[in-house]
Amino acid sequence: MFERQLAIVTGGASGIGFGISEALIKAEYDVVLVGRNEERLASAAKKLGSAVQWRCADVGRRADMERAVGDFERVSLLINAAGFISPVSLVMPLDEAESNWDAVIDANLKGSFLSAMLVAPKLKSPGGTIINISSIGAQTGGSRPGGLAYAAAKAGIHGLTYALARELAPRGITANAIAPGFIAATGFTGAWPEDRVAEIVAQTPLGRPGTPADVAGAVLWLASEAGSFVTGTVIPVNGGWRIG
């Protein structure tokens, strides 16, 4: 009998995470969405259909994540897509900068760490996969001032990915990261002014913004048999923006 694979997607109710969840369902995965906003989770699950469950949890809080994933025994794929950006720059008052720093690190980096720690023992062995969603900002520092915390968190995702790949390899489990460039119409970018978007597109050799489906395509490849010999790497999905 065919056994459907289970994927846990943090941040799966919106933006890139939702696009990944949608692609996984089309690829016949069962999907568990994890996020902080119960209303958004319920709405996303309704759109995605009967193959979806959801768990409300703050990924940066251990007790939340233990409750969210504790009842799953066998997982094929963990996608760490949860995160947000909050400005941190050298010109801000230190109290505000420190508060924003802690929130960004918790959501983007600590959340990925906790998810990996809790799900790794449940991953199919061999054949399980962890994919962390990073950002071009890990390499550029961001396209505007204010990216100190976000760039640091996403750079930390790269180091976490390399270490996970090393520890999980003996079990036949892969760990990789995807670093998107400009992805249009997400919670991060949906409100960006048109002139800023036009500037970025002009710097992008492929001449268009990315979409969540572009990131999802890389996820599906890494999670497939075709990507099974790829581990400990960061794959840019940015239309060539870094060389533009």
Side-chain angles (χ1 to χ4, degrees):
M1 181 177 177
F2 174 72
E3 181 182 356
R4 289 173 65 92
Q5 299 188 85
L6 179 67
I8 295 175
V9 184
T10 73
S14 61
I16 289 174
F18 181 86
I20 292 170
S21 299
E22 191 171 37
L24 289 171
I25 290 168
K26 290 178 181 177
E28 299 189 330
Y29 281 81
D30 289 326
V31 174
V32 180
L33 310 177
V34 179
R36 293 189 297 180
N37 188 308
E38 184 171 342
E39 183 178 346
R40 187 181 297 161
L41 287 162
S43 175
K46 185 176 180 180
K47 292 175 185 175
L48 292 169
S50 61
V52 173
Q53 304 177 53
W54 57 269
R55 301 288 188 274
C56 191
D58 182 337
V59 296
R61 295 180 179 273
R62 175 179 168 181
D64 278 18
M65 289 306 295
E66 286 176 331
R67 286 193 298 271
V69 305
D71 56 345
F72 300 107
E73 296 182 359
R74 193 164 186 263
V75 180
S76 295
L77 176 60
L78 169 64
I79 307 290
N80 284 315
F84 70 94
I85 186 168
S86 192
V88 178
S89 74
L90 297 175
V91 300
M92 292 172 62
L94 182 55
D95 285 349
E96 182 183 2
E98 183 180 23
S99 177
N100 287 0
W101 170 279
D102 289 344
V104 170
I105 296 297
D106 279 356
N108 291 278
L109 182 55
K110 184 180 178 182
S112 296
F113 158 72
L114 288 174
S115 297
M117 289 290 293
L118 291 165
V119 175
K122 306 169 183 288
L123 284 171
K124 184 172 63 173
S125 176
T129 303
I130 294 177
I131 301 173
N132 298 317
I133 304 302
S134 178
S135 168
I136 194 172
Q139 298 168 310
T140 66
S143 59
R144 294 288 192 277
L148 292 178
Y150 188 71
K154 292 304 190 181
I157 289 289
H158 294 187
L160 175 66
T161 300
Y162 303 146
L164 287 170
R166 187 175 296 280
E167 291 205 23
L168 291 170
R171 292 176 52 200
I173 296 169
T174 62
N176 293 285
I178 296 171
F182 177 72
I183 306 298
T186 69
F188 282 7
T189 63
W192 286 12
E194 290 184 11
D195 59 340
R196 185 177 180 189
V197 173
E199 179 185 357
I200 293 171
V201 171
Q203 296 169 357
T204 303
L206 286 181
R208 67 168 178 86
T211 69
D214 293 319
V215 182
V219 166
L220 291 177
W221 174 67
L222 286 171
S224 73
E225 184 64 27
S228 63
F229 198 56
V230 179
T231 196
T233 193
V234 178
I235 297 178
V237 179
N238 61 31
W241 190 13
R242 281 277 289 159
I243 62 169

